[in-house]
């Protein structure tokens, strides 16, 4: 016990000495960060302020600060530091001598010029090229995301990869991950070409070189086994006995097993892993442009046209009283969602609550119909559009399903026999009112019976005329759409009625828009003119629309409400005489033009 006392005292003294030495050294944080500096793309003033903050936070002295930030210098700054001769290499002196040599303002034009002239050929991968280029473009202010993406795609040297990136609708935050699936099949191609030429020259001269890499296939120097033209050795290490040495060396690699997509040997395009992964990345959840033929394995899918875009449509007789549309395809159509709350069952293991719907005209091969489509999230849909029984059960529509396909067509017209005609002077109304309330309603209707009509209106509003102003003087000319014989008869009947009512007149105008027939909810047909080409060059009228909430607040505590609908209200507004020829439209038989405002014009909403 007595002998251990001096040892413990010595240990205590050593610990106290170590603590005193630690207190004399300034505490330094290991977590310091200084950005890289390149005079051509960075601001010298901002970088020096960053270094001064790091120096103060970490307690660096003047010499230590320069040694720590020297590794952050890039480009001309790194070259200048290597050539800088000074007896006092401190941060203060470096900043004092180097700062005046840097430009006071960043040359954004030079950065943009270098980025646009940089190609992926200088980088080991397409993803690395995209990442470096985006970092440089981020410095230039005012560039949109689409422009940055187009500059990156422009510098891709491979035409197939460039085309795939251009067709994938990429953004700056997704282009790097997209290009990471593509490998550069001819990385280092120039070096290998030089090696091949050098090796061939040495072979022709009858000499070999002992410098450079060694091929483990033919045991020669100057190239590696991956680019060796000799066939691979067998298990014993010798070449096949039936092939001569010269013939083997001069044989060219077969191109029959070279992939035409990635340009790599050993497989064909149908077995290319790079192509399969690329198609999987580019595949959309909703296919807008596929064509469904009778030989398609899924006979429930048919093709339809909406706003001029081909869309896959699923006709589902199990969708009771509802038709659905995927939320992913709404951006391709010009439609305005309307509020509607409904609970959908059967799309998943739980109920799906939909809050809105859109009304679109769906053009099948045999019929065009106007459908209310409830908007559903894309994750619950196996097709862009699902047509349900709310459409299949309409009057005038026939749903046909065969072994190979299913489709919608017009119902055959059935001539019903009329046994007798009974004239009734009593006006029949569909109303839940009874008793005194019904008598009051009938009294109002009888007083204004002369203003209640059915069919096409013959009256005209005298408060004003509609004017059509165009941005181009080039006439809109289209051939008439193809119609079936029954549809031609219907068009002939509708146009004759419009002619008699003075809504249209025969025309010799240079404008000619096509027509289509759209089936309404009551089973009748509506003649619609496809004015989309005319609307694209029409100057749009801008009017502030009233807010629905304001009108609801004005209803107050009222109990009874009336809804007045002008019969063919569009046809009651006259057109200016100098604008009538712009509304010219063609049927398969004649050429007409509207005298009164038609449905479908951009400013007739």
């Amino acid at each position: 016990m007595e002998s251990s006392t001096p040892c413990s005292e010595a240990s205590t003294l050593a610990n106290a000495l170590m603590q005193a030495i630690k207190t004399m050294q300034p505490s330094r944080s290991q977590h310091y960060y200084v950005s890289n500096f390149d005079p051509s793309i960075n601001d010298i003033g901002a970088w020096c302020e960053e270094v001064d903050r790091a120096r103060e936070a970490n307690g660096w002295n003047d010499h230590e600060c320069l040694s720590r930030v020297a590794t952050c210098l890039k480009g001309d700054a790194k070259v200048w530091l290597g050539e800088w001769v000074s007896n006092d290499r401190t941060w203060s002196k470096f900043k004092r001598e180097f700062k005046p040599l840097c430009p006071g303002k960043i040359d954004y034009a030079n950065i943009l010029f270098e980025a646009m002239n940089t190609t992926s050929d200088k980088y080991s991968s397409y993803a690395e090229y995209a990442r470096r280029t985006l970092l440089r473009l981020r410095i230039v202010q005012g560039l949109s995301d689409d422009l940055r993406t187009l500059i990156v795609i422009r510098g891709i040297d491979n035409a197939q990869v460039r085309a795939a990136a251009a067709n994938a609708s990429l953004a700056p935050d997704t282009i790097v991950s997209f290009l990471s699936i593509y490998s550069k099949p001819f990385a280092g191609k120039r070096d290998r070409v030089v090696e091949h030429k050098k090796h061939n020259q040495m072979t022709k001269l009858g000499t070999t070189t002992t410098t450079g890499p060694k091929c483990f296939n033919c045991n020669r120097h100057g190239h590696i086994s991956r680019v060796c033209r000799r066939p691979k050795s067998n298990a014993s290490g010798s070449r096949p006995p039936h092939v001569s040495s010269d013939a083997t060396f001069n044989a060219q690699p077969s191109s029959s097993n070279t992939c035409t997509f990635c340009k790599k040997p050993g497989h064909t395009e149908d077995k290319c892993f790079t192509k399969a992964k690329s198609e999987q990345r580019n595949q959309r959840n909703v296919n807008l442009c596929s064509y469904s033929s009778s030989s398609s394995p899924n006979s429930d899918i048919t093709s339809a046209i909406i706003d001029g875009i081909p869309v896959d449509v699923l006709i589902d007789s199990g969708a009771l009283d509802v038709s659905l549309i995927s939320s992913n395809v709404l951006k391709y159509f010009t439609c305005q969602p309307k509020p509607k709350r409904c609970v959908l069952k059967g799309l998943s293991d739980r109920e799906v609550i939909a809050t809105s719907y859109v009304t679109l005209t769906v053009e099948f091969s045999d019929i065009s119909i106007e459908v209310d489509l409830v908007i559903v999230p894309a994750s619950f849909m196996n097709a862009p559009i699902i047509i349900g029984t709310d459409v299949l059960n309409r009057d005038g529509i026939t749903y046909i399903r065969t072994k190979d396909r299913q489709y919608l067509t017009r119902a055959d017209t059935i001539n019903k026999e009329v046994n007798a005609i009974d004239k009734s002077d009593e006006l029949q109304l569909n109303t839940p009112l009874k008793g005194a309330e019904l008598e009051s309603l009938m009294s109002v209707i009888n007083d204004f019976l002369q203003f209640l009509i059915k069919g096409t209106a013959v009256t005209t509003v005298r408060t004003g005329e509609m004017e059509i102003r165009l941005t181009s003087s080039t006439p809109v000319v289209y051939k008439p759409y193809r119609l079936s014989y029954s549809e031609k008869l219907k068009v002939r009947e509708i146009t004759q009625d419009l002619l008699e009512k003075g809504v249209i007149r025969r025309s010799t105008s240079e404008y000619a828009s096509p027509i289509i027939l759209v089936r309404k909810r009551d089973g009748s047909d509506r003649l619609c003119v496809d004015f989309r080409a005319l609307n694209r060059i029409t100057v749009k009228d801008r009017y502030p629309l009233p807010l629905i909430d304001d009108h609801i607040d004005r209803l107050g505590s009222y109990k009874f409400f009336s809804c007045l609908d002008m019969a063919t209200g569009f046809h009651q507004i006259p057109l200016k005489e100098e604008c009538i020829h712009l509304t010219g439209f063609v049927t398969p038989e004649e050429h007409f033009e509207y005298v009164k405002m038609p449905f479908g014009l951009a400013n007739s909403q």
Side-chain angles (χ1 to χ4, degrees), residues 364-416:
F364 293 96
S365 58
D366 298 328
I367 188 174
S368 297
I369 52 178
E370 195 176 65
V371 187
D372 290 339
L373 301 167
V374 177
I375 303 174
V376 178
S379 57
F380 299 109
M381 298 283 287
N382 57 355
I385 292 178
I386 297 178
I387 298 297
T389 58
D390 62 322
V391 176
L392 304 182
N393 294 336
R394 288 186 188 176
D395 295 334
I397 295 179
T398 300
Y399 168 48
I400 300 177
R401 182 183 180 94
T402 64
K403 179 181 179 182
D404 299 327
R405 68 188 185 102
Q406 57 179 352
Y407 58 94
L408 299 180
T409 185
R410 295 180 180 273
D412 295 333
T413 303
I414 301 177
N415 295 325
K416 299 181 179 180

Side-chain angles (χ1 to χ4, degrees), residues 124-154:
S124 59
S125 64
Y126 298 113
E128 179 66 16
Y129 154 73
R131 188 181 66 83
R132 293 289 185 90
T133 305
L134 288 174
L135 288 176
R136 295 180 68 86
L137 292 176
R138 189 176 298 174
I139 301 173
V140 182
Q141 302 294 328
L143 296 181
S144 63
D145 292 344
D146 293 339
L147 185 56
R148 289 191 178 96
T149 305
L150 291 176
I151 293 176
V152 174
I153 295 176
R154 179 179 178 271

Side-chain angles (χ1 to χ4, degrees), residues 274-496:
T274 303
K275 181 180 179 181
K277 197 168 184 180
S278 174
E279 292 177 350
Q280 183 180 3
R281 177 66 66 89
N282 291 336
Q283 184 178 7
R284 298 177 178 178
N285 293 330
V286 179
N287 182 15
L288 284 176
C289 300
S290 65
Y291 177 76
S292 177
S293 62
S294 58
S295 59
S296 176
N298 187 359
S299 61
D300 294 337
I301 299 293
T302 185
S303 181
I305 304 294
I306 300 178
D307 286 352
I309 302 175
V311 185
D312 289 342
V313 177
L314 172 63
I315 302 177
D316 186 3
S317 59
L320 301 179
D321 298 328
V322 67
S323 295
L324 310 176
I325 183 172
S326 174
S327 58
N328 277 2
V329 303
L330 289 179
K331 57 184 178 181
Y332 300 101
F333 307 134
T334 55
C335 57
Q336 184 66 32
K338 305 171 186 176
K340 178 181 181 180
R341 188 182 187 279
C342 58
V343 180
L344 306 175
K345 298 180 180 180
L347 294 177
S348 65
D349 55 350
R350 56 186 177 86
E351 294 181 348
V352 178
I353 300 177
T355 58
S356 58
Y357 77 99
V358 294
T359 302
L360 294 172
T361 300
V362 183
E363 303 177 30
F364 293 96
S365 58
D366 298 328
I367 188 174
S368 297
I369 52 178
E370 195 176 65
V371 187
D372 290 339
L373 301 167
V374 177
I375 303 174
V376 178
S379 57
F380 299 109
M381 298 283 287
N382 57 355
I385 292 178
I386 297 178
I387 298 297
T389 58
D390 62 322
V391 176
L392 304 182
N393 294 336
R394 288 186 188 176
D395 295 334
I397 295 179
T398 300
Y399 168 48
I400 300 177
R401 182 183 180 94
T402 64
K403 179 181 179 182
D404 299 327
R405 68 188 185 102
Q406 57 179 352
Y407 58 94
L408 299 180
T409 185
R410 295 180 180 273
D412 295 333
T413 303
I414 301 177
N415 295 325
K416 299 181 179 180
E417 294 184 359
V418 180
N419 297 324
I421 300 177
D422 184 15
K423 183 178 180 181
S424 177
D425 296 333
E426 183 179 358
L427 182 63
Q428 300 294 330
L429 295 178
N430 182 14
T431 175
L433 299 180
K434 297 180 181 179
E437 295 176 349
L438 179 58
E439 293 179 359
S440 300
L441 176 61
M442 292 300 299
S443 176
V444 174
I445 292 177
N446 291 328
D447 292 341
F448 298 95
L449 189 59
Q450 57 178 333
F451 300 104
L452 305 180
I453 64 172
K454 296 175 63 177
T456 304
V458 295
T459 57
T460 303
V461 176
R462 300 300 180 184
T463 57
E465 295 178 331
M466 180 181 180
E467 180 183 4
I468 303 175
R469 294 174 296 162
L470 303 182
T471 60
S472 173
S473 59
T474 303
V476 175
V477 181
Y478 281 90
K479 294 181 179 179
Y481 293 156
R482 184 177 180 272
L483 300 177
S484 63
Y485 178 72
S486 60
E487 290 176 330
K488 290 181 181 179
L489 296 179
K490 180 59 68 174
V491 170
R492 189 183 306 170
E493 178 184 347
I494 296 176
T495 54
Q496 184 61 33

Side-chain angles (χ1 to χ4, degrees), residues 136-283:
R136 295 180 68 86
L137 292 176
R138 189 176 298 174
I139 301 173
V140 182
Q141 302 294 328
L143 296 181
S144 63
D145 292 344
D146 293 339
L147 185 56
R148 289 191 178 96
T149 305
L150 291 176
I151 293 176
V152 174
I153 295 176
R154 179 179 178 271
I156 300 176
D157 55 351
N158 189 297
Q160 294 181 343
V161 178
R162 184 169 62 251
N167 295 329
S169 300
L170 300 174
D173 54 347
T174 59
I175 189 172
V176 176
S177 60
F178 175 83
L179 293 178
S180 62
I181 67 175
Y182 294 96
S183 60
K184 301 187 71 172
F186 296 105
K189 176 180 178 182
R190 297 178 180 176
D191 297 337
R192 292 198 294 270
V193 171
V194 173
E195 292 176 0
H196 280 305
K197 290 182 179 179
K198 184 176 180 181
H199 180 76
N200 292 339
Q201 292 175 357
M202 298 299 292
T203 305
K204 291 180 181 179
L205 296 175
T207 60
T208 58
T209 176
T210 58
T211 61
K214 179 180 179 181
C215 175
F216 293 100
N217 184 35
C218 64
N219 293 324
R220 292 175 180 266
H221 292 271
H223 66 280
I224 58 178
S225 59
R226 186 173 58 187
V227 297
C228 182
R229 295 187 177 183
R230 294 174 176 269
K232 292 185 178 181
S233 304
N234 54 21
S236 61
S238 61
R239 292 187 298 274
H242 62 280
V243 180
S244 64
S245 176
D246 295 338
T248 303
F249 182 76
N250 294 326
Q252 297 294 332
S254 174
S255 61
S256 60
N257 290 331
T258 301
C259 177
T260 58
F261 182 82
C262 66
K263 307 301 182 182
K264 289 185 178 181
H267 66 279
T268 56
E269 184 176 352
D270 58 339
K271 298 181 180 179
C272 181
F273 173 76
T274 303
K275 181 180 179 181
K277 197 168 184 180
S278 174
E279 292 177 350
Q280 183 180 3
R281 177 66 66 89
N282 291 336
Q283 184 178 7

